[in-house]
Amino acid sequence: MGYPANGASGNQSLKFLIYGRTGWIGGLLGTLCRAHSIPFHYGSGRLENRASLLKDIADINPTHVFNAAGVTGRPNVDWCESHKVDTIRTNVVGTLTLADVCRDNGLLLINYATGCIFEYDPYHPLGSGIGFKETDSPNFTGSFYSKTKAMVEDLLKNYDNVCTLRVRMPISSDLSNPRNFITKITRYEKVVDIPNSMTILDELLPISIEMAKRNLTGIWNFTNPGVVSHNEILEMYREYVDPNFTWSNFTLEEQAKVIVAPRSNNELDAAKLKNEFPELLSIKDSLIHYVFQPNRKLKA
């Protein structure tokens, strides 16, 4: 198919090709497609192997391609600091190859990227409510992971068939998933307490499917409006899930002693996404509605 102009809604029957079968977001996408009776297939090709991607497209003949594959590192992004070539191969070479193959075949690519390419600065101070916009250039390269993501985002601007979604600190209602930001911080010995933009997957992944249907392209801050801090989330966790839960805070300086690479902290301006999807909830309302109320173990 040829992707229509930005924002045009195609009437063709849908068939999605999804990369990232074994990943968290890729798995959730498949579950959503099944729930909404959208035909889909997981790609079997390696992102950096152009021939294998071409075979997937020829075999499946999709209407849209979704890229939820990528290297984030296990157990965290510190892994990327000592596996730089592996990180480049997937996050840069692989993503660019997929975008290029999709463009050659007239296919829209929904690319789940990251918003962890910014940090609070004098023009976007912590607590100011002034978030980074889609047009702002990344200012955080503290981790090699973020450096590769910023690099590929800049290059993808040249592809008119790509929709780049800046995901941040993803959260879902599945509090047993170790990739869930809430699950992570409830298991940490100590946490920092900094307001950040975050992505509630239960609300936003269905929106990403709708974005594909609308053939939207370009860069999008893919977070719920507003910010929430670590302590605010843990207070909700204590209120809704475990009344005996306790935690300790430490400073960024103390955190730096137990991690290899610095972490990104920022607020992204979600006005563009909110304008396209007016029903989008603020981060705190979305946390309560999609995450904590379904997991409520305490009486109101």
Side-chain angles (χ1 to χ4, degrees):
M1 73 156 229
Y3 49 92
N6 190 23
S9 185
N11 294 319
Q12 77 288 340
S13 58
L14 300 169
K15 186 191 286 185
F16 293 164
L17 171 57
I18 301 171
Y19 288 94
R21 179 177 197 151
T22 60
W24 183 24
I25 289 178
L28 290 174
L29 278 174
T31 300
L32 278 171
C33 287
R34 290 187 197 99
H36 292 91
S37 301
I38 299 172
F40 76 98
H41 295 268
Y42 283 111
S44 58
R46 301 286 299 176
L47 292 191
E48 65 273 17
N49 186 326
R50 190 179 189 92
S52 69
L53 301 182
L54 288 167
K55 185 177 186 303
D56 281 344
I57 289 171
D59 290 347
I60 294 163
N61 192 28
T63 59
H64 300 77
V65 180
F66 290 75
N67 181 29
V71 170
T72 56
R74 291 287 191 275
N76 54 50
V77 296
D78 285 343
W79 180 92
C80 300
E81 301 299 316
S82 56
H83 297 78
K84 291 183 177 179
V85 172
D86 300 285
T87 305
I88 291 169
R89 186 179 296 122
T90 300
N91 289 358
V92 182
V93 178
T95 302
L96 290 174
T97 301
L98 181 59
D100 197 58
V101 166
C102 286
R103 188 176 187 276
D104 278 355
N105 285 271
L107 290 166
L108 180 84
L109 173 63
I110 301 288
N111 184 50
Y112 296 93
T114 184
C116 293
I117 52 177
F118 296 97
E119 62 180 341
Y120 290 115
D121 66 14
Y123 303 101
H124 309 82
L126 189 155
S128 68
I130 301 171
F132 291 91
K133 298 180 184 294
E134 284 81 359
T135 52
D136 288 326
S137 297
N139 70 343
F140 176 76
T141 54
S143 70
F144 190 74
Y145 166 80
S146 291
K147 187 180 293 185
T148 64
K149 289 292 193 173
M151 187 185 307
V152 80
E153 180 185 282
D154 185 54
L155 293 169
L156 285 176
K157 290 177 186 176
N158 298 290
Y159 284 83
D160 59 0
N161 63 312
V162 176
C163 180
T164 294
L165 304 180
R166 290 174 174 167
V167 176
R168 285 213 78 233
M169 298 177 165
I171 291 168
S172 85
S173 55
D174 179 7
L175 296 181
S176 66
N177 191 303
R179 307 300 290 171
N180 190 335
F181 179 75
I182 296 175
T183 310
K184 287 181 180 180
I185 64 173
T186 58
R187 295 176 180 178
Y188 287 162
E189 188 175 334
K190 291 184 177 182
V191 297
V192 293
D193 182 35
I194 302 172
N196 271 282
S197 287
M198 301 186 191
T199 301
I200 307 299
L201 295 176
D202 302 69
E203 181 173 19
L204 283 161
L205 281 188
I207 283 177
S208 69
I209 290 177
E210 180 59 31
M211 294 175 82
K213 292 178 181 178
R214 297 182 190 182
N215 291 302
L216 298 174
T217 56
I219 296 173
W220 296 77
N221 287 336
F222 202 59
T223 58
N224 292 84
V227 292
V228 65
S229 72
H230 299 62
N231 281 7
E232 286 173 322
I233 289 176
L234 293 175
E235 284 162 7
M236 291 182 195
Y237 184 85
R238 183 167 60 190
E239 177 183 351
Y240 285 89
V241 181
D242 181 2
N244 298 313
F245 183 77
T246 60
W247 68 93
S248 299
N249 291 124
F250 63 166
T251 65
L252 282 173
E253 291 74 23
E254 290 170 323
Q255 182 196 46
K257 296 175 182 178
V258 296
I259 58 177
V260 176
R263 301 296 193 260
S264 158
N265 293 288
N266 68 58
E267 177 173 356
L268 299 182
D269 186 329
K272 180 180 175 181
L273 191 66
K274 177 75 172 176
N275 185 59
E276 185 73 26
F277 297 95
E279 68 276 16
L280 181 63
L281 296 178
S282 70
I283 182 60
K284 292 176 184 176
D285 288 344
S286 191
L287 271 167
I288 292 170
H289 181 78
Y290 287 99
V291 180
F292 287 116
Q293 285 185 341
N295 281 286
R296 182 190 287 274
K297 294 182 181 176
L298 304 173
K299 292 182 178 179

